[in-house]
Amino acid sequence: MDRYDVVNYIKNMFPYLIDQAMDKLEDMFGDRLYESETTFYYQFPAEALNEFLFKALKEKSNQKQVEKIFDLFEMMANSEDKLVTDCLQVELLEPLWREKIVFDRALQLMHLKTREVNKDIEHYLKKPTE
């Protein structure tokens, strides 16, 4: 899975999250959003998924969509595209470390390779206790 596949997966599986994500990105980066391909492909998955995922994990809602997100995470974890694996670790998994209930529920849903990437985060973040 490369960076283009990630964006296409999100657009196809979660079309209702796209407009809000694009609005946020355009507010943050303005015209610079498309100056570098890296900026868009690195930031878009986080802006599209993080708020929805965090809320769904916290409230134990939207289980089927959450499972699809973790399927995407596993595909990203197996990617040979460094931008994709970096995005997964920094932009998608690290935010799950903010709150214990979210972190614990996320761990239950992670597939094998995603768990390995998540384990790398232990080197620089402490597991949430609250």
Side-chain angles (χ1 to χ4, degrees):
M1 173 169 266
D2 63 24
R3 61 192 75 177
Y4 310 104
D5 296 328
V6 172
V7 169
N8 287 330
Y9 183 94
I10 293 169
K11 285 181 176 180
N12 289 328
M13 300 304 281
F14 310 100
Y16 48 90
L17 298 176
I18 303 308
D19 289 342
Q20 181 179 346
M22 290 306 299
D23 288 347
K24 285 182 184 177
L25 288 170
E26 287 169 359
D27 285 347
M28 285 191 309
F29 294 101
D31 295 336
R32 295 174 302 141
L33 179 60
Y34 301 104
E35 285 177 8
S36 165
E37 179 181 288
T38 304
T39 302
F40 176 76
Y41 288 100
Y42 192 79
Q43 297 293 329
F44 176 78
E47 290 307 322
L49 300 175
N50 282 354
E51 186 177 325
F52 174 83
L53 180 60
F54 195 87
K55 183 177 180 183
L57 287 170
K58 192 170 186 167
E59 297 173 355
K60 273 192 141 176
S61 62
N62 297 300
Q63 194 61 35
K64 287 185 181 187
Q65 291 91 348
V66 168
E67 288 173 8
K68 288 178 186 175
I69 292 172
F70 279 94
D71 290 344
L72 170 64
F73 287 2
E74 187 67 5
M75 290 184 274
M76 292 175 73
N78 284 294
S79 177
E80 293 182 14
D81 185 336
K82 178 120 172 75
L83 184 133
V84 171
T85 55
D86 287 350
C87 175
L88 172 65
Q89 181 172 334
V90 175
E91 297 295 327
L92 298 169
L93 294 179
E94 279 184 18
L96 300 175
W97 286 61
R98 292 184 191 144
E99 199 169 310
K100 184 172 177 24
I101 189 84
V102 171
F103 179 80
D104 290 344
R105 289 180 179 157
L107 278 178
Q108 294 171 0
L109 295 165
M110 286 180 194
H111 303 296
L112 184 63
K113 189 72 174 175
T114 306
R115 283 179 177 269
E116 290 175 20
V117 174
N118 191 64
K119 190 139 181 76
D120 289 341
I121 298 170
E122 288 181 8
H123 293 45
Y124 56 91
L125 287 181
K126 292 182 180 180
K127 288 183 182 177
T129 56
E130 294 182 20

